[in-house]
Amino acid sequence: MPTYDYICLDCHNRFDLFMPFSEYGRRPVTCPHCKSQAVRRGIPRVRVAKSEESRLDALSGDFSDPSALAGLENDPQAMGRMMRKMGKEMGEEMPPEFDEVVGRLEKGQSPEDIEKEMPDLGEAGGMGGMGGMGGMGGMGEDGLE
């Protein structure tokens, strides 16, 4: 049975749907996240197998120079871009909270404001708070806590 990729136009989540070819285009498709029927076919994701070593090498190139981390504590958008890149390089599906936090950073919201508005991030099962995300909320000038 083929897998079809969809994107919800309301909540913007991606999801896969298994259905027989004979039902494709005839069966209504509903987003499993928000139950909306406003969905469209997505382009299937291409997965490239990388060893953990090659993923870490790609990331370490960005962070081998300490000046690459300079100023991140004062630039939420740069912090968000860096976190988005790290998430992609890890090659694993990130929880929705990750996308929420990174999206807020990319829009310029401060880590402190995000922590105040999303207090559940620090609880078990969450992302460990902003401090749990690599200590980004409290980095010193050298890029370390």
Side-chain angles (χ1 to χ4, degrees):
M1 197 168 359
T3 301
Y4 299 95
D5 296 303
Y6 286 91
I7 299 171
C8 179
L9 301 175
D10 289 335
C11 71
H12 305 289
N13 278 303
R14 296 179 70 107
F15 62 96
D16 298 328
L17 188 62
F18 298 98
M19 76 173 82
F21 181 74
S22 61
E23 291 182 18
Y24 176 72
R26 295 185 180 141
R27 178 175 145 193
V29 177
T30 304
C31 174
H33 303 282
C34 72
K35 309 301 182 216
S36 170
Q37 288 191 339
V39 299
R40 70 172 168 84
R41 278 288 307 272
I43 298 171
R45 296 180 191 174
V46 176
R47 297 202 183 257
V48 177
K50 286 185 177 181
S51 69
E52 187 164 336
E53 181 179 341
S54 66
R55 286 195 311 260
L56 292 174
D57 284 346
L59 284 174
S60 67
D62 293 334
F63 306 116
S64 59
D65 179 11
S67 67
L69 299 174
L72 281 181
E73 70 277 1
N74 297 322
D75 187 351
Q77 292 171 324
M79 185 186 305
R81 287 189 300 272
M82 182 208 52
M83 289 175 63
R84 175 99 44 217
K85 184 172 184 172
M86 288 174 61
K88 285 181 182 178
E89 284 295 329
M90 293 312 296
E92 297 178 13
E93 192 75 28
M94 301 304 284
E97 295 86 0
F98 179 84
D99 286 331
E100 172 75 16
V101 169
V102 171
R104 287 173 176 234
L105 288 168
E106 289 172 332
K107 289 178 182 172
Q109 189 173 6
S110 75
E112 294 78 15
D113 289 344
I114 295 171
E115 260 187 315
K116 288 175 191 169
E117 292 178 18
M118 301 177 73
D120 293 342
L121 288 178
E123 295 181 5
M127 294 180 55
M130 293 297 286
M133 293 172 48
M136 296 297 178
M139 287 201 329
E141 294 207 13
D142 59 358
L144 303 173
E145 289 190 80

